[in-house]
Amino acid sequence: MKYCQDCGTILKGRTDKKFCDDYCRCHYNNDINRDREQDFKKINSILRKNANILEKLVGQGIRISTPHLLSAAGFNFTFFTHQLNEQNGEICIYCYNYGYVKINEGQLVIKQVTHSLSSN
Ligand SMILES: [Zn+2]
């Protein structure tokens, strides 16, 4: 027995059917798109918050911080936009145009993108 993926009604007839009709298919796909949009928005807001935290610190003249202090400010280390290899071999983790390099287990240096991203 097969059921409509949208409303759960038992499907009769062709066995390759997934939905009762076009209405159920559209409804189901709209839900998926809405969920995807919400996931994008959630991740985007985390990334923006991360970038804002770094921007604020740089604005205050603070260039060295600790993972603990950033976490306390709401920084989420799981999410970042990209990473770049610095000339000295360090790897900088960016959230948009602000990033950080771990210089040891307890400290990190905040970086600001000064080069063109389009060159990559
Ligand atoms: Zn249905």
mmCIF file of all heavy atoms in Angstrom, residues 3-9 11 18-21 23-25, ligand 1:
data_model
loop_
_atom_site.group_PDB
_atom_site.id
_atom_site.type_symbol
_atom_site.label_atom_id
_atom_site.label_comp_id
_atom_site.label_asym_id
_atom_site.label_seq_id
_atom_site.Cartn_x
_atom_site.Cartn_y
_atom_site.Cartn_z
ATOM 1 N N TYR A 3 1.044 5.555 0.163
ATOM 2 C CA TYR A 3 0.325 6.719 0.697
ATOM 3 C C TYR A 3 0.838 8.005 0.069
ATOM 4 O O TYR A 3 2.018 8.104 -0.276
ATOM 5 C CB TYR A 3 0.507 6.801 2.219
ATOM 6 C CG TYR A 3 0.007 5.584 2.940
ATOM 7 C CD1 TYR A 3 0.852 4.498 3.161
ATOM 8 C CD2 TYR A 3 -1.314 5.521 3.394
ATOM 9 C CE1 TYR A 3 0.389 3.359 3.823
ATOM 10 C CE2 TYR A 3 -1.779 4.394 4.060
ATOM 11 C CZ TYR A 3 -0.932 3.308 4.269
ATOM 12 O OH TYR A 3 -1.390 2.209 4.920
ATOM 13 N N CYS A 4 -0.040 8.974 -0.057
ATOM 14 C CA CYS A 4 0.347 10.289 -0.544
ATOM 15 C C CYS A 4 1.390 10.879 0.401
ATOM 16 O O CYS A 4 1.190 10.891 1.617
ATOM 17 C CB CYS A 4 -0.880 11.194 -0.611
ATOM 18 S SG CYS A 4 -0.482 12.908 -0.985
ATOM 19 N N GLN A 5 2.497 11.365 -0.162
ATOM 20 C CA GLN A 5 3.564 11.909 0.686
ATOM 21 C C GLN A 5 3.149 13.207 1.366
ATOM 22 O O GLN A 5 3.783 13.632 2.321
ATOM 23 C CB GLN A 5 4.828 12.153 -0.149
ATOM 24 C CG GLN A 5 5.522 10.856 -0.537
ATOM 25 C CD GLN A 5 6.896 11.103 -1.134
ATOM 26 O OE1 GLN A 5 7.495 12.150 -0.935
ATOM 27 N NE2 GLN A 5 7.398 10.132 -1.884
ATOM 28 N N ASP A 6 2.103 13.826 0.833
ATOM 29 C CA ASP A 6 1.679 15.089 1.449
ATOM 30 C C ASP A 6 0.612 14.873 2.508
ATOM 31 O O ASP A 6 0.786 15.245 3.659
ATOM 32 C CB ASP A 6 1.160 16.055 0.390
ATOM 33 C CG ASP A 6 0.806 17.392 0.999
ATOM 34 O OD1 ASP A 6 1.709 18.011 1.604
ATOM 35 O OD2 ASP A 6 -0.365 17.802 0.898
ATOM 36 N N CYS A 7 -0.515 14.261 2.120
ATOM 37 C CA CYS A 7 -1.654 14.205 3.047
ATOM 38 C C CYS A 7 -1.842 12.829 3.667
ATOM 39 O O CYS A 7 -2.617 12.672 4.611
ATOM 40 C CB CYS A 7 -2.932 14.641 2.337
ATOM 41 S SG CYS A 7 -3.502 13.440 1.118
ATOM 42 N N GLY A 8 -1.138 11.814 3.148
ATOM 43 C CA GLY A 8 -1.225 10.494 3.759
ATOM 44 C C GLY A 8 -2.374 9.626 3.289
ATOM 45 O O GLY A 8 -2.549 8.510 3.781
ATOM 46 N N THR A 9 -3.141 10.133 2.341
ATOM 47 C CA THR A 9 -4.245 9.335 1.794
ATOM 48 C C THR A 9 -3.695 8.132 1.026
ATOM 49 O O THR A 9 -2.649 8.218 0.386
ATOM 50 C CB THR A 9 -5.073 10.206 0.818
ATOM 51 O OG1 THR A 9 -5.588 11.317 1.535
ATOM 52 C CG2 THR A 9 -6.229 9.417 0.202
ATOM 53 N N LEU A 11 -3.019 5.746 -1.860
ATOM 54 C CA LEU A 11 -3.015 5.989 -3.306
ATOM 55 C C LEU A 11 -3.505 4.767 -4.044
ATOM 56 O O LEU A 11 -3.103 3.641 -3.750
ATOM 57 C CB LEU A 11 -1.600 6.343 -3.773
ATOM 58 C CG LEU A 11 -1.028 7.644 -3.220
ATOM 59 C CD1 LEU A 11 0.434 7.785 -3.634
ATOM 60 C CD2 LEU A 11 -1.835 8.841 -3.697
ATOM 61 N N LYS A 18 3.180 9.354 -6.253
ATOM 62 C CA LYS A 18 3.610 9.752 -4.906
ATOM 63 C C LYS A 18 2.594 10.652 -4.222
ATOM 64 O O LYS A 18 2.650 10.843 -3.009
ATOM 65 C CB LYS A 18 4.951 10.509 -4.977
ATOM 66 C CG LYS A 18 6.139 9.634 -5.358
ATOM 67 C CD LYS A 18 7.396 10.472 -5.427
ATOM 68 C CE LYS A 18 8.613 9.639 -5.787
ATOM 69 N NZ LYS A 18 9.788 10.493 -6.027
ATOM 70 N N PHE A 19 1.712 11.247 -5.032
ATOM 71 C CA PHE A 19 0.745 12.201 -4.481
ATOM 72 C C PHE A 19 -0.643 11.933 -5.055
ATOM 73 O O PHE A 19 -0.771 11.368 -6.142
ATOM 74 C CB PHE A 19 1.153 13.637 -4.829
ATOM 75 C CG PHE A 19 2.529 13.991 -4.346
ATOM 76 C CD1 PHE A 19 3.616 13.936 -5.210
ATOM 77 C CD2 PHE A 19 2.735 14.384 -3.039
ATOM 78 C CE1 PHE A 19 4.885 14.256 -4.768
ATOM 79 C CE2 PHE A 19 3.994 14.703 -2.583
ATOM 80 C CZ PHE A 19 5.077 14.639 -3.446
ATOM 81 N N CYS A 20 -1.677 12.377 -4.346
ATOM 82 C CA CYS A 20 -3.051 12.268 -4.833
ATOM 83 C C CYS A 20 -3.192 12.997 -6.160
ATOM 84 O O CYS A 20 -3.770 12.481 -7.110
ATOM 85 C CB CYS A 20 -4.024 12.943 -3.866
ATOM 86 S SG CYS A 20 -3.955 12.348 -2.210
ATOM 87 N N ASP A 21 -2.701 14.244 -6.161
ATOM 88 C CA ASP A 21 -2.935 15.117 -7.305
ATOM 89 C C ASP A 21 -1.930 16.269 -7.288
ATOM 90 O O ASP A 21 -1.026 16.300 -6.452
ATOM 91 C CB ASP A 21 -4.365 15.663 -7.250
ATOM 92 C CG ASP A 21 -4.693 16.256 -5.888
ATOM 93 O OD1 ASP A 21 -3.747 16.680 -5.174
ATOM 94 O OD2 ASP A 21 -5.876 16.286 -5.526
ATOM 95 N N TYR A 23 -2.402 19.297 -6.457
ATOM 96 C CA TYR A 23 -2.497 20.104 -5.234
ATOM 97 C C TYR A 23 -1.551 19.571 -4.161
ATOM 98 O O TYR A 23 -0.783 20.309 -3.560
ATOM 99 C CB TYR A 23 -3.939 20.129 -4.710
ATOM 100 C CG TYR A 23 -4.046 20.868 -3.400
ATOM 101 C CD1 TYR A 23 -4.166 22.261 -3.385
ATOM 102 C CD2 TYR A 23 -3.975 20.192 -2.190
ATOM 103 C CE1 TYR A 23 -4.220 22.956 -2.198
ATOM 104 C CE2 TYR A 23 -4.031 20.877 -0.987
ATOM 105 C CZ TYR A 23 -4.154 22.256 -0.996
ATOM 106 O OH TYR A 23 -4.198 22.932 0.193
ATOM 107 N N CYS A 24 -1.613 18.245 -3.916
ATOM 108 C CA CYS A 24 -0.753 17.647 -2.888
ATOM 109 C C CYS A 24 0.722 17.761 -3.258
ATOM 110 O O CYS A 24 1.562 18.004 -2.395
ATOM 111 C CB CYS A 24 -1.128 16.189 -2.647
ATOM 112 S SG CYS A 24 -2.556 15.990 -1.568
ATOM 113 N N ARG A 25 1.045 17.591 -4.560
ATOM 114 C CA ARG A 25 2.442 17.697 -4.985
ATOM 115 C C ARG A 25 2.975 19.107 -4.717
ATOM 116 O O ARG A 25 4.058 19.285 -4.168
ATOM 117 C CB ARG A 25 2.619 17.341 -6.458
ATOM 118 C CG ARG A 25 4.102 17.297 -6.836
ATOM 119 C CD ARG A 25 4.371 17.136 -8.327
ATOM 120 N NE ARG A 25 3.624 16.025 -8.895
ATOM 121 C CZ ARG A 25 2.618 16.168 -9.730
ATOM 122 N NH1 ARG A 25 2.257 17.377 -10.123
ATOM 123 N NH2 ARG A 25 1.978 15.121 -10.186
HETATM 124 ZN ZN ZN B 1 -2.631 13.839 -1.000
#
